[in-house]
Amino acid sequence: MTRPSREARIDPTAIADNVEALRSEVGTAHTMAVVKARGYGHGAVSSARAALSGGADWLGTADIPEALELRRAGITAPVLAWLHGPDADFVTAAEADIDLGISSEPQLDRAAAVSGSTTVQLKVDTGLGRNGVTLAECESLFEKAATLERLGRIRVRGIFSHLANAGDADDAAQLAAFERALAIAEATGLDPELRHLASTAGAIRHPESRFDLVRLGIGIYGLSPFDDESAERLADRGIRLRPAMELSAEVVSTKRVAAGSGVSYGLTYRTAAAATLALVPLGYADGVPRQASGSGPVSIGGRRYRVAGRVAMDQLVVDVGDDPVTAGDRAVLFGDARSGMPSVRDWADAAGTIDYDIVTRIGGRVEFTTT
Ligand SMILES: *Cc1c(COP(=O)(O)O)cnc(C)c1O
């Protein structure tokens, strides 16, 4: 069978194994697999299924439409969605048995107005400055939630917050704020069964932030949340993660050019000697960051090269020197570093960004396949 011209090959077994590896490292009672943004670009439904088979017992999405997609696919595991605008469809979410992350009093009122009992998890802003009620506001929100719970209008299953991963001192301050919020909740009569704070980074580096559940995103896809520690380094110290995506394309054509030949827009690259140029049909419209022009790594035939000149909308060029590359050869932009491929981290570094940004940006022309 011929491979697609542009291919993102997903390995669901890697996702399942990564969940298992992280679970055995963090050891919390519950594990949420975060599958927002199309499963960090890997496919939401297939990633969710793989994560559940690896032992996750919760799924997390940003918004309600993402959660509903999981339900439409027949996934019955508990799901929490936490990012809602004023018109978000709480009725459909409640009917689909989706827990609503609640970040304000108006949201709490809207959840309570849904007929039947809606299950909510209250979000506290302990310092990230994004979603959630501030510590100053949380007492009144908690009191109202406790009252609504006694009236049978809502069920408060959880209280949660999110770390800024800004360093040990800031994370410790957020942890302390979260513990204050939990004490306030208790004083108002709430007794949530799920208290959660940590995403992948906190789950790995701050055991005291794990509580009852960790929300694992980037790690389940085999990538590291840390600027200063790649997935390969995490594996070296016992947290074995395997990247679940390989991005590749066929070389569509090659040609010989003379020394000093310019390559791609702006002619920012010139061949140092007579060389073969290989044309790869992946560009910034496919998610290849233009910022990695001249530096992004590409592996062809087991050898490592760099993008020559600018990444264009549809294509990039690789100077393969005198190597015998021909049309139809596979050019791998990133995959498993342990089998010699460039990594997502290599591309993130080349583009001045983070692993998350590389995998979530793959464009619509790339075909997704499963190993
Ligand atoms: C995205 C997200 C996560 C997952 O974070 P990772 O760093 O990918 O593990 C967890 N919690 C919330 C609230 C998020 O938005």
Side-chain angles (χ1 to χ4, degrees), residues 34 36 40 82 123 130 162 199-200 215-218 356:
V34 179
K36 63 192 182 188
Y40 287 45
W82 53 71
K123 189 162 192 191
R130 295 195 330 197
H162 194 40
S199 57
T200 307
R215 302 184 305 268
L216 303 177
I218 198 78
Y356 302 70

Side-chain angles (χ1 to χ4, degrees), residues 6 38 281-290 311-315 361-366:
R6 308 176 187 89
R38 293 179 294 136
L282 285 169
Y284 55 79
D286 305 298
V288 179
R290 188 172 177 278
V311 173
M313 188 184 295
D314 314 304
Q315 43 199 300
R361 59 190 290 149
I362 306 299
R365 290 188 299 199
V366 177

Side-chain angles (χ1 to χ4, degrees), residues 71-263:
R71 287 286 181 260
R72 275 198 302 275
I75 293 172
T76 55
V79 179
L80 171 65
W82 53 71
L83 186 63
H84 319 292
D87 297 323
D89 188 354
F90 281 11
V91 174
T92 306
E95 281 168 4
D97 204 16
I98 291 160
D99 279 27
L100 295 169
I102 294 297
S103 285
S104 67
E105 205 166 311
Q107 284 187 356
L108 183 64
D109 292 338
R110 291 189 55 229
V114 175
S115 73
S117 176
T118 309
T119 304
V120 303
Q121 303 199 28
L122 305 176
K123 189 162 192 191
V124 183
D125 177 6
T126 52
L128 179 58
R130 295 195 330 197
N131 237 339
V133 285
T134 61
L135 225 56
E137 300 165 333
C138 78
E139 183 164 6
S140 77
L141 184 88
F142 290 171
E143 270 167 1
K144 189 166 198 177
T147 304
L148 289 166
E149 188 166 51
R150 279 192 292 273
L151 294 170
R153 305 297 301 276
I154 59 168
R155 170 177 168 211
V156 180
R157 195 196 318 251
I159 292 186
F160 71 115
S161 185
H162 194 40
L163 292 172
N165 303 321
D168 288 347
D170 286 309
D171 288 349
Q174 281 197 260
L175 175 65
F178 188 57
E179 280 172 338
R180 276 205 301 285
L182 292 175
I184 294 167
E186 198 185 333
T188 61
L190 292 174
D191 184 21
E193 87 197 44
L194 296 177
R195 302 158 302 155
H196 48 113
L197 177 61
S199 57
T200 307
I204 292 175
R205 287 207 180 154
H206 300 305
E208 65 291 355
S209 73
R210 293 171 185 162
F211 294 93
D212 307 307
L213 175 150
V214 290
R215 302 184 305 268
L216 303 177
I218 198 78
I220 73 170
Y221 306 101
L223 305 174
S224 168
F226 304 117
D227 289 340
D228 59 353
E229 195 173 21
S230 67
E232 295 75 57
R233 298 240 328 269
L234 285 173
D236 289 340
R237 63 177 184 91
I239 306 170
R240 277 185 195 81
L241 302 179
R242 201 160 86 241
M245 185 192 297
E246 181 186 89
L247 179 66
S248 73
E250 65 179 350
V251 171
V252 292
S253 66
T254 60
K255 75 170 137 214
R256 286 296 289 179
V257 297
S261 298
V263 176

Side-chain angles (χ1 to χ4, degrees), residues 264-275:
S264 195
Y265 294 122
L267 304 181
T268 57
Y269 181 86
R270 287 188 184 272
T271 53

